[in-house]
Amino acid sequence: MEKSLTTVMVAAIHLALLSPAAVAEPRMPAPASIGQVTSVSQLSDVRPTDWAYQALASLVEKYGCIAGYPDGTFRGNRALTRFEMAAALNACLDVISDRFATKEDLATLQRLREEFAAELATLRGRVDNLEARTATLEATQFSTTTKLSVDAVMAFQAGGNTRQVVDPISGNTFTGGSYNPTVISKVEINLNTSFRGTDLLTTTLEVGNNGLDTFGATGIGTDGLIAGGAADYSGVGANVELSRLFYSFKPTEDLTIGVGPQFYPSDIVDTNSYANDSFTDFSSNFFINNPLIVPYAVNDPGGAGVSIEWNPGGGFFTLRGVYVAAAVGAPTGIPTGGGLFGDPYQGTVELEFARAFGANERNNFAVRLQYTNSSTLNISQNAGGVNVELTLGKFGLFGRYAYSDMKLYGDGATINGLGPFTVPFLGGQVNTTAQTWMAGLAYRDLLAEGSLLAAAVGQPFINSLASAPGTNDATQTNYELFFRYPLSDNISITPVFMAITNANNSATNSPIFQGLIRTTFSF
């Protein structure tokens, strides 16, 4: 042999092994993974002028028992722990014992192995302990195919109006002053099951406490086509119900098909990074979804249907489609066929373009073009919309808009298919147009990482219907401001302020205000 292995080993590890300044206190190895190299030239930070270059070259190219980091560096100036030294020596011994060595080499290495016997035993014990704990977890886990997650929200709210607000559905008049404060809750238990790794069966159970917020108590956004502004978790029943049962699978890498007896159009379309989830961002159902693209009469109860999502080549464009027939009845006198293709239903197509840009990894832009055909209660419509969002570092801008050509059907003096909005009507059919819009801005990581400060304003239903004093003589406008602050990875607290002017499109209704303190638990 040109050099004895002893000479090579001593030259390579002398400082790390024997110098007290270089050897750190015993601890577990560094978390970065290490990859084997076959030539010292693969180590970008090792130069031929380095004093240990020849020793490293022999250990890498001749004995094959020294590795580098995934980024192609050796990091020779980093302090070496005794655990790392023990692992490296053991790897070299395994290689050498299978190849060749002099008696002197083996004797030297044997002394080194004995010196690090305690560290090797500790490592072996820790590995055995991890294997035992892993076996216990596997034996006691809930399921090998199903993951359980829970989202729970508790909200304390209080609000009122300055004069009076009339609920057009019930006819009740709420006089000026404050309403009784309430506590609202909603819990979703999610079971996500995958049988093949590329499919997902989602089962969601939902329960609440029947709590109403101020807007819900006055009939703002609780019925019909338009979601006027009530908190999304307001009015959830105290009985445990099946909220979602939906199965999706990928016949190809770029295509996802879904089918289920109970899910929501908003599961598939009209998502937005800043306004999408009442557990984590806006509370008002109006700001969470476009009421003309995702009609409340279908999206609130959910129903049976199918969906498709196609993202060609994993690129910037994604095409989505969804059809849902809601499990709710129609008003008396409205003919329906019932079933999957009866009233009410909605079908929506959405084309999304989304991409990141610039040096900041947070910078991104997304625009979603949408079309919906729906027949909900006594209204049928064709609506086109757009959903946009722009992120510039920590700042965000977002908004939604839709225009609808709709037909109203009925046989009485008024109809309520527009949710809280009364419409002068003499029976038969009325053609009209409607628009809706919202816009907002946001700022992330204020005071703490994971926080979100956001505000939005919008008008749920701008229409061309006939008006009369107190009826359809103004346009309802919604406002919301919130600040989500994470207390931990699993708990956040969110102060929320909400306001509505000209409620129910009536100039005689005074402004309504409410404040909430929302606490969200996710685990």
mmCIF file with all atom_site columns, all heavy atoms in Angstrom, residues 444-466:
data_model
loop_
_atom_site.group_PDB
_atom_site.id
_atom_site.type_symbol
_atom_site.label_atom_id
_atom_site.label_alt_id
_atom_site.label_comp_id
_atom_site.label_asym_id
_atom_site.label_entity_id
_atom_site.label_seq_id
_atom_site.pdbx_PDB_ins_code
_atom_site.Cartn_x
_atom_site.Cartn_y
_atom_site.Cartn_z
_atom_site.occupancy
_atom_site.B_iso_or_equiv
_atom_site.pdbx_formal_charge
_atom_site.auth_seq_id
_atom_site.auth_comp_id
_atom_site.auth_asym_id
_atom_site.auth_atom_id
_atom_site.pdbx_PDB_model_num
ATOM 1   N N   . ARG A 1 444 ? -49.871 40.716 5.759   1.00 0.00 ? 444 ARG A N   1
ATOM 2   C CA  . ARG A 1 444 ? -49.528 39.509 6.516   1.00 0.00 ? 444 ARG A CA  1
ATOM 3   C C   . ARG A 1 444 ? -48.375 39.768 7.490   1.00 0.00 ? 444 ARG A C   1
ATOM 4   O O   . ARG A 1 444 ? -47.570 40.672 7.309   1.00 0.00 ? 444 ARG A O   1
ATOM 5   C CB  . ARG A 1 444 ? -49.131 38.375 5.567   1.00 0.00 ? 444 ARG A CB  1
ATOM 6   C CG  . ARG A 1 444 ? -50.275 37.886 4.675   1.00 0.00 ? 444 ARG A CG  1
ATOM 7   C CD  . ARG A 1 444 ? -49.859 36.626 3.912   1.00 0.00 ? 444 ARG A CD  1
ATOM 8   N NE  . ARG A 1 444 ? -50.885 36.175 2.993   1.00 0.00 ? 444 ARG A NE  1
ATOM 9   C CZ  . ARG A 1 444 ? -51.911 35.402 3.329   1.00 0.00 ? 444 ARG A CZ  1
ATOM 10  N NH1 . ARG A 1 444 ? -52.038 35.010 4.591   1.00 0.00 ? 444 ARG A NH1 1
ATOM 11  N NH2 . ARG A 1 444 ? -52.808 35.019 2.441   1.00 0.00 ? 444 ARG A NH2 1
ATOM 12  N N   . ASP A 1 445 ? -48.328 38.925 8.525   1.00 0.00 ? 445 ASP A N   1
ATOM 13  C CA  . ASP A 1 445 ? -47.215 38.874 9.488   1.00 0.00 ? 445 ASP A CA  1
ATOM 14  C C   . ASP A 1 445 ? -47.021 40.181 10.231  1.00 0.00 ? 445 ASP A C   1
ATOM 15  O O   . ASP A 1 445 ? -45.891 40.591 10.517  1.00 0.00 ? 445 ASP A O   1
ATOM 16  C CB  . ASP A 1 445 ? -45.912 38.471 8.785   1.00 0.00 ? 445 ASP A CB  1
ATOM 17  C CG  . ASP A 1 445 ? -45.989 37.089 8.147   1.00 0.00 ? 445 ASP A CG  1
ATOM 18  O OD1 . ASP A 1 445 ? -46.863 36.308 8.554   1.00 0.00 ? 445 ASP A OD1 1
ATOM 19  O OD2 . ASP A 1 445 ? -45.185 36.797 7.248   1.00 0.00 ? 445 ASP A OD2 1
ATOM 20  N N   . LEU A 1 446 ? -48.106 40.869 10.580  1.00 0.00 ? 446 LEU A N   1
ATOM 21  C CA  . LEU A 1 446 ? -48.029 42.066 11.409  1.00 0.00 ? 446 LEU A CA  1
ATOM 22  C C   . LEU A 1 446 ? -47.951 41.638 12.872  1.00 0.00 ? 446 LEU A C   1
ATOM 23  O O   . LEU A 1 446 ? -48.818 40.920 13.371  1.00 0.00 ? 446 LEU A O   1
ATOM 24  C CB  . LEU A 1 446 ? -49.255 42.939 11.176  1.00 0.00 ? 446 LEU A CB  1
ATOM 25  C CG  . LEU A 1 446 ? -49.346 44.214 12.035  1.00 0.00 ? 446 LEU A CG  1
ATOM 26  C CD1 . LEU A 1 446 ? -48.214 45.170 11.689  1.00 0.00 ? 446 LEU A CD1 1
ATOM 27  C CD2 . LEU A 1 446 ? -50.705 44.891 11.841  1.00 0.00 ? 446 LEU A CD2 1
ATOM 28  N N   . LEU A 1 447 ? -46.900 42.035 13.556  1.00 0.00 ? 447 LEU A N   1
ATOM 29  C CA  . LEU A 1 447 ? -46.630 41.719 14.966  1.00 0.00 ? 447 LEU A CA  1
ATOM 30  C C   . LEU A 1 447 ? -46.195 40.276 15.187  1.00 0.00 ? 447 LEU A C   1
ATOM 31  O O   . LEU A 1 447 ? -45.436 39.999 16.117  1.00 0.00 ? 447 LEU A O   1
ATOM 32  C CB  . LEU A 1 447 ? -47.842 42.021 15.860  1.00 0.00 ? 447 LEU A CB  1
ATOM 33  C CG  . LEU A 1 447 ? -48.372 43.467 15.834  1.00 0.00 ? 447 LEU A CG  1
ATOM 34  C CD1 . LEU A 1 447 ? -49.554 43.601 16.790  1.00 0.00 ? 447 LEU A CD1 1
ATOM 35  C CD2 . LEU A 1 447 ? -47.274 44.450 16.198  1.00 0.00 ? 447 LEU A CD2 1
ATOM 36  N N   . ALA A 1 448 ? -46.674 39.357 14.364  1.00 0.00 ? 448 ALA A N   1
ATOM 37  C CA  . ALA A 1 448 ? -46.297 37.950 14.539  1.00 0.00 ? 448 ALA A CA  1
ATOM 38  C C   . ALA A 1 448 ? -46.431 37.218 13.205  1.00 0.00 ? 448 ALA A C   1
ATOM 39  O O   . ALA A 1 448 ? -47.306 37.533 12.394  1.00 0.00 ? 448 ALA A O   1
ATOM 40  C CB  . ALA A 1 448 ? -47.173 37.273 15.597  1.00 0.00 ? 448 ALA A CB  1
ATOM 41  N N   . GLU A 1 449 ? -45.550 36.246 12.993  1.00 0.00 ? 449 GLU A N   1
ATOM 42  C CA  . GLU A 1 449 ? -45.634 35.446 11.778  1.00 0.00 ? 449 GLU A CA  1
ATOM 43  C C   . GLU A 1 449 ? -46.937 34.642 11.772  1.00 0.00 ? 449 GLU A C   1
ATOM 44  O O   . GLU A 1 449 ? -47.305 34.035 12.771  1.00 0.00 ? 449 GLU A O   1
ATOM 45  C CB  . GLU A 1 449 ? -44.441 34.501 11.694  1.00 0.00 ? 449 GLU A CB  1
ATOM 46  C CG  . GLU A 1 449 ? -44.384 33.698 10.400  1.00 0.00 ? 449 GLU A CG  1
ATOM 47  C CD  . GLU A 1 449 ? -43.146 32.826 10.293  1.00 0.00 ? 449 GLU A CD  1
ATOM 48  O OE1 . GLU A 1 449 ? -42.310 32.894 11.225  1.00 0.00 ? 449 GLU A OE1 1
ATOM 49  O OE2 . GLU A 1 449 ? -43.015 32.092 9.310   1.00 0.00 ? 449 GLU A OE2 1
ATOM 50  N N   . GLY A 1 450 ? -47.631 34.662 10.651  1.00 0.00 ? 450 GLY A N   1
ATOM 51  C CA  . GLY A 1 450 ? -48.906 33.962 10.530  1.00 0.00 ? 450 GLY A CA  1
ATOM 52  C C   . GLY A 1 450 ? -50.116 34.830 10.781  1.00 0.00 ? 450 GLY A C   1
ATOM 53  O O   . GLY A 1 450 ? -51.252 34.379 10.612  1.00 0.00 ? 450 GLY A O   1
ATOM 54  N N   . SER A 1 451 ? -49.913 36.081 11.174  1.00 0.00 ? 451 SER A N   1
ATOM 55  C CA  . SER A 1 451 ? -51.048 36.979 11.392  1.00 0.00 ? 451 SER A CA  1
ATOM 56  C C   . SER A 1 451 ? -51.543 37.530 10.053  1.00 0.00 ? 451 SER A C   1
ATOM 57  O O   . SER A 1 451 ? -50.834 37.513 9.052   1.00 0.00 ? 451 SER A O   1
ATOM 58  C CB  . SER A 1 451 ? -50.645 38.132 12.312  1.00 0.00 ? 451 SER A CB  1
ATOM 59  O OG  . SER A 1 451 ? -49.709 38.978 11.671  1.00 0.00 ? 451 SER A OG  1
ATOM 60  N N   . LEU A 1 452 ? -52.772 38.038 10.063  1.00 0.00 ? 452 LEU A N   1
ATOM 61  C CA  . LEU A 1 452 ? -53.364 38.605 8.850   1.00 0.00 ? 452 LEU A CA  1
ATOM 62  C C   . LEU A 1 452 ? -54.292 39.741 9.231   1.00 0.00 ? 452 LEU A C   1
ATOM 63  O O   . LEU A 1 452 ? -55.248 39.557 9.991   1.00 0.00 ? 452 LEU A O   1
ATOM 64  C CB  . LEU A 1 452 ? -54.131 37.543 8.066   1.00 0.00 ? 452 LEU A CB  1
ATOM 65  C CG  . LEU A 1 452 ? -54.844 38.026 6.791   1.00 0.00 ? 452 LEU A CG  1
ATOM 66  C CD1 . LEU A 1 452 ? -53.829 38.532 5.775   1.00 0.00 ? 452 LEU A CD1 1
ATOM 67  C CD2 . LEU A 1 452 ? -55.696 36.909 6.181   1.00 0.00 ? 452 LEU A CD2 1
ATOM 68  N N   . LEU A 1 453 ? -54.008 40.922 8.703   1.00 0.00 ? 453 LEU A N   1
ATOM 69  C CA  . LEU A 1 453 ? -54.883 42.089 8.836   1.00 0.00 ? 453 LEU A CA  1
ATOM 70  C C   . LEU A 1 453 ? -55.528 42.346 7.480   1.00 0.00 ? 453 LEU A C   1
ATOM 71  O O   . LEU A 1 453 ? -54.829 42.460 6.478   1.00 0.00 ? 453 LEU A O   1
ATOM 72  C CB  . LEU A 1 453 ? -54.076 43.309 9.275   1.00 0.00 ? 453 LEU A CB  1
ATOM 73  C CG  . LEU A 1 453 ? -54.814 44.655 9.300   1.00 0.00 ? 453 LEU A CG  1
ATOM 74  C CD1 . LEU A 1 453 ? -55.885 44.668 10.385  1.00 0.00 ? 453 LEU A CD1 1
ATOM 75  C CD2 . LEU A 1 453 ? -53.833 45.804 9.526   1.00 0.00 ? 453 LEU A CD2 1
ATOM 76  N N   . ALA A 1 454 ? -56.857 42.417 7.428   1.00 0.00 ? 454 ALA A N   1
ATOM 77  C CA  . ALA A 1 454 ? -57.536 42.585 6.141   1.00 0.00 ? 454 ALA A CA  1
ATOM 78  C C   . ALA A 1 454 ? -58.819 43.368 6.316   1.00 0.00 ? 454 ALA A C   1
ATOM 79  O O   . ALA A 1 454 ? -59.452 43.342 7.381   1.00 0.00 ? 454 ALA A O   1
ATOM 80  C CB  . ALA A 1 454 ? -57.827 41.230 5.502   1.00 0.00 ? 454 ALA A CB  1
ATOM 81  N N   . ALA A 1 455 ? -59.210 44.072 5.249   1.00 0.00 ? 455 ALA A N   1
ATOM 82  C CA  . ALA A 1 455 ? -60.455 44.835 5.223   1.00 0.00 ? 455 ALA A CA  1
ATOM 83  C C   . ALA A 1 455 ? -61.058 44.729 3.828   1.00 0.00 ? 455 ALA A C   1
ATOM 84  O O   . ALA A 1 455 ? -60.331 44.597 2.831   1.00 0.00 ? 455 ALA A O   1
ATOM 85  C CB  . ALA A 1 455 ? -60.206 46.296 5.582   1.00 0.00 ? 455 ALA A CB  1
ATOM 86  N N   . ALA A 1 456 ? -62.385 44.764 3.757   1.00 0.00 ? 456 ALA A N   1
ATOM 87  C CA  . ALA A 1 456 ? -63.067 44.665 2.461   1.00 0.00 ? 456 ALA A CA  1
ATOM 88  C C   . ALA A 1 456 ? -64.380 45.438 2.510   1.00 0.00 ? 456 ALA A C   1
ATOM 89  O O   . ALA A 1 456 ? -64.967 45.645 3.576   1.00 0.00 ? 456 ALA A O   1
ATOM 90  C CB  . ALA A 1 456 ? -63.327 43.211 2.084   1.00 0.00 ? 456 ALA A CB  1
ATOM 91  N N   . VAL A 1 457 ? -64.832 45.854 1.326   1.00 0.00 ? 457 VAL A N   1
ATOM 92  C CA  . VAL A 1 457 ? -66.109 46.524 1.163   1.00 0.00 ? 457 VAL A CA  1
ATOM 93  C C   . VAL A 1 457 ? -66.757 45.976 -0.103  1.00 0.00 ? 457 VAL A C   1
ATOM 94  O O   . VAL A 1 457 ? -66.063 45.589 -1.053  1.00 0.00 ? 457 VAL A O   1
ATOM 95  C CB  . VAL A 1 457 ? -65.925 48.054 1.075   1.00 0.00 ? 457 VAL A CB  1
ATOM 96  C CG1 . VAL A 1 457 ? -65.027 48.433 -0.097  1.00 0.00 ? 457 VAL A CG1 1
ATOM 97  C CG2 . VAL A 1 457 ? -67.270 48.775 0.969   1.00 0.00 ? 457 VAL A CG2 1
ATOM 98  N N   . GLY A 1 458 ? -68.072 45.919 -0.134  1.00 0.00 ? 458 GLY A N   1
ATOM 99  C CA  . GLY A 1 458 ? -68.733 45.413 -1.329  1.00 0.00 ? 458 GLY A CA  1
ATOM 100 C C   . GLY A 1 458 ? -70.238 45.594 -1.275  1.00 0.00 ? 458 GLY A C   1
ATOM 101 O O   . GLY A 1 458 ? -70.809 45.957 -0.235  1.00 0.00 ? 458 GLY A O   1
ATOM 102 N N   . GLN A 1 459 ? -70.894 45.356 -2.427  1.00 0.00 ? 459 GLN A N   1
ATOM 103 C CA  . GLN A 1 459 ? -72.345 45.448 -2.534  1.00 0.00 ? 459 GLN A CA  1
ATOM 104 C C   . GLN A 1 459 ? -72.879 44.134 -3.096  1.00 0.00 ? 459 GLN A C   1
ATOM 105 O O   . GLN A 1 459 ? -72.557 43.756 -4.222  1.00 0.00 ? 459 GLN A O   1
ATOM 106 C CB  . GLN A 1 459 ? -72.729 46.625 -3.441  1.00 0.00 ? 459 GLN A CB  1
ATOM 107 C CG  . GLN A 1 459 ? -72.319 47.968 -2.852  1.00 0.00 ? 459 GLN A CG  1
ATOM 108 C CD  . GLN A 1 459 ? -72.668 49.148 -3.739  1.00 0.00 ? 459 GLN A CD  1
ATOM 109 O OE1 . GLN A 1 459 ? -72.429 49.114 -4.947  1.00 0.00 ? 459 GLN A OE1 1
ATOM 110 N NE2 . GLN A 1 459 ? -73.231 50.206 -3.149  1.00 0.00 ? 459 GLN A NE2 1
ATOM 111 N N   . PRO A 1 460 ? -73.688 43.423 -2.317  1.00 0.00 ? 460 PRO A N   1
ATOM 112 C CA  . PRO A 1 460 ? -74.125 42.092 -2.728  1.00 0.00 ? 460 PRO A CA  1
ATOM 113 C C   . PRO A 1 460 ? -75.037 42.064 -3.946  1.00 0.00 ? 460 PRO A C   1
ATOM 114 O O   . PRO A 1 460 ? -74.958 41.141 -4.758  1.00 0.00 ? 460 PRO A O   1
ATOM 115 C CB  . PRO A 1 460 ? -74.873 41.567 -1.491  1.00 0.00 ? 460 PRO A CB  1
ATOM 116 C CG  . PRO A 1 460 ? -74.400 42.408 -0.364  1.00 0.00 ? 460 PRO A CG  1
ATOM 117 C CD  . PRO A 1 460 ? -74.090 43.743 -0.946  1.00 0.00 ? 460 PRO A CD  1
ATOM 118 N N   . PHE A 1 461 ? -75.924 43.081 -4.104  1.00 0.00 ? 461 PHE A N   1
ATOM 119 C CA  . PHE A 1 461 ? -76.957 42.954 -5.131  1.00 0.00 ? 461 PHE A CA  1
ATOM 120 C C   . PHE A 1 461 ? -77.346 44.327 -5.669  1.00 0.00 ? 461 PHE A C   1
ATOM 121 O O   . PHE A 1 461 ? -78.143 45.047 -5.073  1.00 0.00 ? 461 PHE A O   1
ATOM 122 C CB  . PHE A 1 461 ? -78.182 42.241 -4.542  1.00 0.00 ? 461 PHE A CB  1
ATOM 123 C CG  . PHE A 1 461 ? -79.199 41.850 -5.565  1.00 0.00 ? 461 PHE A CG  1
ATOM 124 C CD1 . PHE A 1 461 ? -78.923 40.874 -6.514  1.00 0.00 ? 461 PHE A CD1 1
ATOM 125 C CD2 . PHE A 1 461 ? -80.448 42.451 -5.576  1.00 0.00 ? 461 PHE A CD2 1
ATOM 126 C CE1 . PHE A 1 461 ? -79.875 40.511 -7.460  1.00 0.00 ? 461 PHE A CE1 1
ATOM 127 C CE2 . PHE A 1 461 ? -81.402 42.083 -6.513  1.00 0.00 ? 461 PHE A CE2 1
ATOM 128 C CZ  . PHE A 1 461 ? -81.113 41.112 -7.454  1.00 0.00 ? 461 PHE A CZ  1
ATOM 129 N N   . ILE A 1 462 ? -76.759 44.677 -6.815  1.00 0.00 ? 462 ILE A N   1
ATOM 130 C CA  . ILE A 1 462 ? -77.128 45.902 -7.528  1.00 0.00 ? 462 ILE A CA  1
ATOM 131 C C   . ILE A 1 462 ? -78.049 45.480 -8.666  1.00 0.00 ? 462 ILE A C   1
ATOM 132 O O   . ILE A 1 462 ? -77.633 44.698 -9.537  1.00 0.00 ? 462 ILE A O   1
ATOM 133 C CB  . ILE A 1 462 ? -75.886 46.609 -8.090  1.00 0.00 ? 462 ILE A CB  1
ATOM 134 C CG1 . ILE A 1 462 ? -74.853 46.849 -6.976  1.00 0.00 ? 462 ILE A CG1 1
ATOM 135 C CG2 . ILE A 1 462 ? -76.264 47.920 -8.760  1.00 0.00 ? 462 ILE A CG2 1
ATOM 136 C CD1 . ILE A 1 462 ? -73.503 47.293 -7.494  1.00 0.00 ? 462 ILE A CD1 1
ATOM 137 N N   . ASN A 1 463 ? -79.300 45.947 -8.692  1.00 0.00 ? 463 ASN A N   1
ATOM 138 C CA  . ASN A 1 463 ? -80.257 45.413 -9.667  1.00 0.00 ? 463 ASN A CA  1
ATOM 139 C C   . ASN A 1 463 ? -80.980 46.526 -10.403 1.00 0.00 ? 463 ASN A C   1
ATOM 140 O O   . ASN A 1 463 ? -80.895 47.699 -10.058 1.00 0.00 ? 463 ASN A O   1
ATOM 141 C CB  . ASN A 1 463 ? -81.257 44.491 -8.971  1.00 0.00 ? 463 ASN A CB  1
ATOM 142 C CG  . ASN A 1 463 ? -82.144 45.252 -8.005  1.00 0.00 ? 463 ASN A CG  1
ATOM 143 O OD1 . ASN A 1 463 ? -83.116 45.889 -8.400  1.00 0.00 ? 463 ASN A OD1 1
ATOM 144 N ND2 . ASN A 1 463 ? -81.794 45.192 -6.708  1.00 0.00 ? 463 ASN A ND2 1
ATOM 145 N N   . SER A 1 464 ? -81.716 46.110 -11.427 1.00 0.00 ? 464 SER A N   1
ATOM 146 C CA  . SER A 1 464 ? -82.476 47.058 -12.247 1.00 0.00 ? 464 SER A CA  1
ATOM 147 C C   . SER A 1 464 ? -83.977 46.883 -12.054 1.00 0.00 ? 464 SER A C   1
ATOM 148 O O   . SER A 1 464 ? -84.777 47.258 -12.906 1.00 0.00 ? 464 SER A O   1
ATOM 149 C CB  . SER A 1 464 ? -82.129 46.854 -13.729 1.00 0.00 ? 464 SER A CB  1
ATOM 150 O OG  . SER A 1 464 ? -82.415 45.525 -14.137 1.00 0.00 ? 464 SER A OG  1
ATOM 151 N N   . LEU A 1 465 ? -84.378 46.294 -10.932 1.00 0.00 ? 465 LEU A N   1
ATOM 152 C CA  . LEU A 1 465 ? -85.786 46.080 -10.655 1.00 0.00 ? 465 LEU A CA  1
ATOM 153 C C   . LEU A 1 465 ? -86.477 47.393 -10.293 1.00 0.00 ? 465 LEU A C   1
ATOM 154 O O   . LEU A 1 465 ? -85.831 48.371 -9.892  1.00 0.00 ? 465 LEU A O   1
ATOM 155 C CB  . LEU A 1 465 ? -85.948 45.081 -9.513  1.00 0.00 ? 465 LEU A CB  1
ATOM 156 C CG  . LEU A 1 465 ? -85.497 43.645 -9.811  1.00 0.00 ? 465 LEU A CG  1
ATOM 157 C CD1 . LEU A 1 465 ? -85.366 42.857 -8.527  1.00 0.00 ? 465 LEU A CD1 1
ATOM 158 C CD2 . LEU A 1 465 ? -86.472 42.973 -10.766 1.00 0.00 ? 465 LEU A CD2 1
ATOM 159 N N   . ALA A 1 466 ? -87.799 47.381 -10.399 1.00 0.00 ? 466 ALA A N   1
ATOM 160 C CA  . ALA A 1 466 ? -88.579 48.561 -10.032 1.00 0.00 ? 466 ALA A CA  1
ATOM 161 C C   . ALA A 1 466 ? -88.430 48.836 -8.545  1.00 0.00 ? 466 ALA A C   1
ATOM 162 O O   . ALA A 1 466 ? -88.237 47.925 -7.743  1.00 0.00 ? 466 ALA A O   1
ATOM 163 C CB  . ALA A 1 466 ? -90.049 48.333 -10.384 1.00 0.00 ? 466 ALA A CB  1
#
